[in-house]
Coordinates of all heavy atoms in Angstrom, one line a residue:
V51 N 100.4 83.7 95.9 CA 99.9 82.4 95.3 C 99.5 81.5 96.4 O 100.3 81.1 97.2 CB 100.9 81.8 94.3 CG1 100.3 80.5 93.8 CG2 101.3 82.7 93.2
P52 N 98.2 81.1 96.5 CA 97.8 80.1 97.5 C 98.4 78.8 97.1 O 98.4 78.3 96.0 CB 96.3 80.1 97.4 CG 95.9 81.3 96.6 CD 97.0 81.6 95.7
V53 N 98.9 78.1 98.1 CA 99.4 76.7 98.0 C 98.8 75.8 99.0 O 98.8 76.0 100.2 CB 101.0 76.7 98.2 CG1 101.6 75.3 98.0 CG2 101.6 77.7 97.2
Q54 N 98.2 74.8 98.5 CA 97.5 73.8 99.4 C 98.5 72.7 99.7 O 99.3 72.3 98.9 CB 96.3 73.2 98.7 CG 95.5 72.3 99.7 CD 94.2 71.9 99.1 OE1 93.8 72.3 98.0 NE2 93.4 71.1 99.8
W55 N 98.4 72.2 100.9 CA 99.3 71.0 101.3 C 98.4 69.9 101.9 O 97.3 70.3 102.5 CB 100.3 71.4 102.3 CG 99.9 72.2 103.5 CD1 99.9 73.6 103.7 CD2 99.3 71.7 104.8 NE1 99.4 74.0 104.9 CE2 99.0 72.8 105.6 CE3 99.1 70.4 105.2 CZ2 98.5 72.7 106.9 CZ3 98.5 70.3 106.5 CH2 98.2 71.4 107.3
E56 N 98.8 68.7 101.9 CA 98.1 67.6 102.4 C 99.2 66.7 103.1 O 100.3 66.5 102.7 CB 97.4 66.8 101.3 CG 96.2 67.3 100.8 CD 95.4 66.4 99.9 OE1 96.1 65.7 99.2 OE2 94.2 66.3 100.0
V57 N 98.7 66.0 104.2 CA 99.5 65.1 104.9 C 98.7 63.8 105.0 O 97.5 63.9 105.4 CB 99.9 65.6 106.3 CG1 100.7 64.5 107.1 CG2 100.7 66.9 106.2
A58 N 99.3 62.7 104.7 CA 98.5 61.4 104.7 C 99.3 60.3 105.4 O 100.6 60.4 105.6 CB 98.2 61.0 103.3
E59 N 98.6 59.3 105.8 CA 99.3 58.1 106.4 C 99.9 57.2 105.4 O 100.6 56.3 105.8 CB 98.2 57.4 107.3 CG 97.8 58.2 108.5 CD 96.9 57.4 109.4 OE1 96.2 56.5 108.9 OE2 96.7 57.8 110.6
D60 N 99.5 57.4 104.2 CA 100.0 56.5 103.1 C 100.5 57.3 101.9 O 100.1 58.4 101.7 CB 98.9 55.5 102.7 CG 97.8 56.3 102.0 OD1 97.2 57.1 102.7 OD2 97.6 56.1 100.8
A61 N 101.4 56.7 101.2 CA 102.1 57.4 100.1 C 101.2 57.7 98.9 O 101.5 58.6 98.1 CB 103.3 56.6 99.6
R62 N 100.0 57.1 98.8 CA 99.1 57.4 97.8 C 97.9 58.3 98.2 O 96.9 58.5 97.5 CB 98.6 56.1 97.1 CG 99.8 55.4 96.4 CD 99.4 54.3 95.5 NE 100.5 53.7 94.9 CZ 101.2 54.1 93.8 NH1 100.8 55.3 93.3 NH2 102.3 53.5 93.4
F63 N 97.9 58.7 99.5 CA 97.0 59.7 100.0 C 95.6 59.1 100.0 O 94.6 59.9 99.8 CB 97.1 61.0 99.2 CG 98.4 61.7 99.5 CD1 99.5 61.3 98.8 CD2 98.5 62.7 100.4 CE1 100.8 62.0 99.0 CE2 99.7 63.4 100.6 CZ 100.8 63.0 100.0
R64 N 95.4 57.9 100.3 CA 94.1 57.3 100.5 C 93.6 57.8 101.9 O 92.4 57.8 102.1 CB 94.1 55.8 100.4 CG 94.5 55.3 99.0 CD 94.3 53.8 98.9 NE 94.7 53.3 97.6 CZ 95.9 52.8 97.2 NH1 96.8 52.7 98.2 NH2 96.1 52.4 96.0
H65 N 94.5 58.0 102.9 CA 94.1 58.3 104.3 C 94.8 59.7 104.6 O 95.7 59.7 105.4 CB 94.6 57.2 105.2 CG 94.1 55.9 104.9 ND1 92.8 55.5 105.1 CD2 94.7 54.8 104.3 CE1 92.6 54.3 104.6 NE2 93.7 53.8 104.1
V66 N 94.2 60.7 104.1 CA 94.6 62.1 104.4 C 94.2 62.5 105.8 O 93.0 62.3 106.2 CB 94.1 63.1 103.4 CG1 94.4 64.5 103.8 CG2 94.6 62.8 102.0
V67 N 95.1 62.9 106.6 CA 94.8 63.3 108.0 C 94.8 64.8 108.3 O 94.3 65.3 109.3 CB 95.8 62.6 109.0 CG1 95.5 61.0 108.9 CG2 97.2 62.9 108.7
R68 N 95.5 65.6 107.4 CA 95.6 67.0 107.6 C 95.7 67.7 106.3 O 96.3 67.1 105.3 CB 96.8 67.4 108.5 CG 96.7 67.2 109.9 CD 95.6 68.0 110.6 NE 95.5 67.9 112.0 CZ 94.7 66.9 112.6 NH1 94.0 66.1 111.8 NH2 94.6 66.8 113.9
R69 N 95.0 68.8 106.1 CA 95.0 69.5 104.9 C 95.0 71.0 105.2 O 94.3 71.4 106.2 CB 93.8 69.2 104.1 CG 93.7 69.9 102.7 CD 92.4 69.5 102.0 NE 92.5 68.2 101.4 CZ 91.7 67.2 101.6 NH1 90.6 67.3 102.3 NH2 91.9 66.1 101.0
G70 N 95.7 71.8 104.5 CA 95.7 73.3 104.8 C 96.1 74.1 103.7 O 96.4 73.6 102.6
L71 N 96.2 75.4 103.9 CA 96.5 76.4 102.8 C 97.4 77.4 103.4 O 97.2 77.9 104.4 CB 95.2 77.1 102.4 CG 95.3 78.0 101.1 CD1 95.5 77.2 99.9 CD2 94.1 78.9 101.0
D72 N 98.6 77.6 102.7 CA 99.5 78.6 103.0 C 99.6 79.6 101.8 O 99.4 79.2 100.6 CB 100.9 78.1 103.4 CG 100.9 77.8 104.8 OD1 100.1 77.0 105.3 OD2 101.8 78.3 105.5
L73 N 100.1 80.8 102.0 CA 100.3 81.7 100.9 C 101.8 81.9 100.6 O 102.6 82.2 101.5 CB 99.7 83.1 101.3 CG 98.2 83.1 101.6 CD1 97.8 84.5 102.1 CD2 97.4 82.6 100.5
A74 N 102.1 81.7 99.3 CA 103.5 81.9 98.8 C 103.6 83.3 98.3 O 102.9 83.7 97.4 CB 103.8 80.9 97.7
T75 N 104.4 84.1 99.0 CA 104.5 85.6 98.7 C 105.8 85.9 98.0 O 106.8 85.3 98.2 CB 104.4 86.4 100.0 OG1 105.6 86.2 100.7 CG2 103.2 86.0 100.8
P76 N 105.7 86.9 97.1 CA 107.0 87.3 96.4 C 108.0 87.8 97.4 O 109.2 87.8 97.2 CB 106.5 88.4 95.4 CG 105.2 88.9 95.9 CD 104.6 87.7 96.6
E77 N 107.6 88.4 98.5 CA 108.5 89.0 99.5 C 109.4 87.9 100.1 O 110.5 88.2 100.5 CB 107.7 89.6 100.6 CG 107.0 91.0 100.2 CD 105.7 90.7 99.5 OE1 105.2 89.6 99.4 OE2 105.2 91.7 98.9
L78 N 108.9 86.6 100.2 CA 109.7 85.5 100.6 C 110.0 84.5 99.5 O 110.1 83.3 99.7 CB 109.1 84.8 101.8 CG 109.0 85.6 103.1 CD1 108.3 84.9 104.2 CD2 110.5 85.9 103.6
G79 N 110.2 85.0 98.3 CA 110.6 84.2 97.2 C 109.6 83.1 96.8 O 110.0 82.1 96.3
H80 N 108.3 83.3 97.2 CA 107.3 82.3 97.0 C 107.7 81.0 97.6 O 107.4 79.9 97.1 CB 107.0 82.1 95.5 CG 106.3 83.3 94.9 ND1 107.0 84.2 94.1 CD2 105.0 83.6 94.9 CE1 106.1 85.2 93.7 NE2 104.8 84.8 94.2
S81 N 108.3 81.1 98.8 CA 108.6 79.9 99.6 C 107.4 79.6 100.5 O 106.6 80.5 100.8 CB 109.8 80.0 100.4 OG 109.7 81.1 101.3
V82 N 107.2 78.4 100.9 CA 106.1 77.9 101.8 C 106.8 77.2 103.0 O 107.6 76.4 102.8 CB 105.2 77.0 101.1 CG1 104.1 76.5 102.0 CG2 104.5 77.7 99.9
H83 N 106.3 77.6 104.2 CA 106.7 77.0 105.4 C 105.5 76.6 106.2 O 105.1 77.4 107.0 CB 107.7 77.9 106.2 CG 108.9 78.3 105.6 ND1 109.0 79.2 104.5 CD2 110.2 77.8 105.7 CE1 110.2 79.4 104.1 NE2 111.0 78.5 104.8
A84 N 104.9 75.5 105.9 CA 103.6 75.1 106.5 C 103.9 74.3 107.8 O 104.5 73.3 107.8 CB 102.9 74.2 105.5
E85 N 103.4 74.9 108.9 CA 103.6 74.3 110.2 C 102.4 73.4 110.5 O 101.3 73.9 110.8 CB 103.8 75.4 111.3 CG 105.1 76.1 111.0 CD 105.5 77.1 112.1 OE1 105.1 76.8 113.3 OE2 106.2 78.0 111.9
V86 N 102.6 72.1 110.4 CA 101.5 71.2 110.6 C 101.4 70.8 112.0 O 102.5 70.4 112.6 CB 101.6 69.9 109.6 CG1 100.5 69.0 109.7 CG2 101.8 70.5 108.2
S87 N 100.3 70.6 112.6 CA 100.1 70.1 113.9 C 99.0 69.1 113.9 O 98.3 68.9 112.9 CB 99.8 71.2 114.9 OG 98.6 72.0 114.6
G88 N 98.7 68.5 115.1 CA 97.6 67.6 115.1 C 97.9 66.2 114.7 O 97.0 65.3 114.5
L89 N 99.2 65.9 114.4 CA 99.7 64.5 114.0 C 99.9 63.7 115.2 O 100.0 64.1 116.3 CB 100.9 64.6 113.1 CG 100.8 65.5 111.9 CD1 102.1 65.5 111.1 CD2 99.6 65.1 111.0
R90 N 100.1 62.4 115.0 CA 100.4 61.4 116.0 C 101.9 61.4 116.2 O 102.7 61.5 115.3 CB 99.8 60.0 115.7 CG 98.3 60.0 115.5 CD 97.9 58.7 114.9 NE 98.1 57.6 115.7 CZ 98.0 56.3 115.3 NH1 97.7 56.0 114.1 NH2 98.3 55.3 116.2
A91 N 102.3 61.1 117.5 CA 103.7 61.1 117.8 C 104.4 59.9 117.2 O 103.8 58.8 117.1 CB 103.9 61.2 119.3
D92 N 105.7 60.1 116.8 CA 106.5 58.9 116.4 C 105.9 58.1 115.3 O 105.9 56.9 115.4 CB 106.8 58.0 117.7 CG 108.1 57.2 117.5 OD1 108.9 57.5 116.5 OD2 108.3 56.2 118.2
R93 N 105.4 58.8 114.3 CA 104.7 58.2 113.1 C 105.3 58.7 111.8 O 105.7 59.8 111.7 CB 103.2 58.5 113.2 CG 102.5 57.9 114.3 CD 102.4 56.4 114.3 NE 101.5 55.8 115.3 CZ 101.8 55.5 116.5 NH1 103.1 55.8 116.9 NH2 100.9 55.0 117.4
E94 N 105.3 57.8 110.8 CA 105.6 58.1 109.5 C 104.5 58.8 108.8 O 103.3 58.3 108.9 CB 106.1 56.9 108.8 CG 106.5 57.1 107.3 CD 106.8 55.8 106.6 OE1 105.9 54.9 106.5 OE2 108.0 55.6 106.3

């Protein structure tokens, strides 16, 4: 199952800074471990 993720600077996602797609597989219990990079240091 494809699972999309988004990272934003605000809680209502008006300023999305990263977006990606990971695959949830039955072999790993349909878990997702999305490794996000390209963010700013020491930021919420």
Side-chain angles (χ1 to χ4, degrees):
V51 178
V53 179
Q54 186 172 359
W55 51 263
E56 284 189 321
V57 178
E59 293 181 340
D60 64 297
R62 298 194 178 278
F63 291 79
R64 296 187 181 96
H65 303 286
V66 174
V67 295
R68 285 291 181 272
R69 178 181 287 129
L71 187 72
D72 273 57
L73 300 179
T75 68
E77 290 79 11
L78 288 176
H80 288 99
S81 61
V82 176
H83 299 77
E85 296 189 22
V86 182
S87 60
L89 303 180
R90 299 167 67 192
D92 201 15
R93 294 291 190 275
E94 178 184 67

